[in-house]
Amino acid sequence: MRRATALLAAALLLGGGTAGCSDSKSYDEIVKDCTQALKGRPEGEKTKPDACKGVHADDYDALLMSQVIDDLGWTDEDGNVDKNKMLDSLQP
C-alpha cells in the first residue's frame, strides 16, 4: 500500500468512531478492508464495494480521493503528493 494511502487511512482510523453495523469488525478493520477493496476494483468501476458499506460517507470520499491520486501517479517515491507530477500530467 502506498504511503499516502496508508497515511490517509491512519488519519481516518484515528478520527473514526464506531461502525454503524452489527458485525464484529471494528471501524478500523472496516476501513482497512474498504481500502483494499478499492485498490482491487477493476478500472472504471464506480460502485461502492460491499467491504465499504460500514464506512462513513466522509471517510469513504477521502479514501476514494486517495486512490485516485495514487492511480494518477501524482505521488512521489515516499507516497507524498508531488505538485510537479500533478502539473506535468495536465500539460498537453
Side-chain angles (χ1 to χ4, degrees):
M1 175 164 55
R2 290 184 174 228
R3 185 171 181 224
T5 303
L7 291 175
L8 179 60
L12 292 173
L13 297 177
L14 291 174
T18 58
C21 60
S22 62
D23 76 29
S24 61
K25 286 186 178 183
S26 70
Y27 188 70
D28 297 351
E29 292 170 323
I30 293 169
V31 170
K32 183 177 178 182
D33 291 346
C34 177
T35 301
Q36 292 302 315
L38 289 172
K39 287 180 71 168
R41 206 162 61 158
E43 188 174 327
E45 179 66 38
K46 302 289 185 206
T47 59
K48 187 175 186 177
D50 288 340
C52 299
K53 297 276 190 231
V55 176
H56 302 292
D58 289 343
D59 293 343
Y60 180 71
D61 291 343
L63 289 172
L64 280 177
M65 285 303 297
S66 177
Q67 187 63 42
V68 167
I69 289 169
D70 282 347
D71 289 347
L72 290 172
W74 291 354
T75 53
D76 62 17
E77 61 277 352
D78 295 325
N80 299 312
V81 174
D82 185 329
K83 292 177 187 175
N84 291 326
K85 286 183 177 183
M86 185 175 70
L87 292 173
D88 288 345
S89 72
L90 299 174
Q91 298 298 319

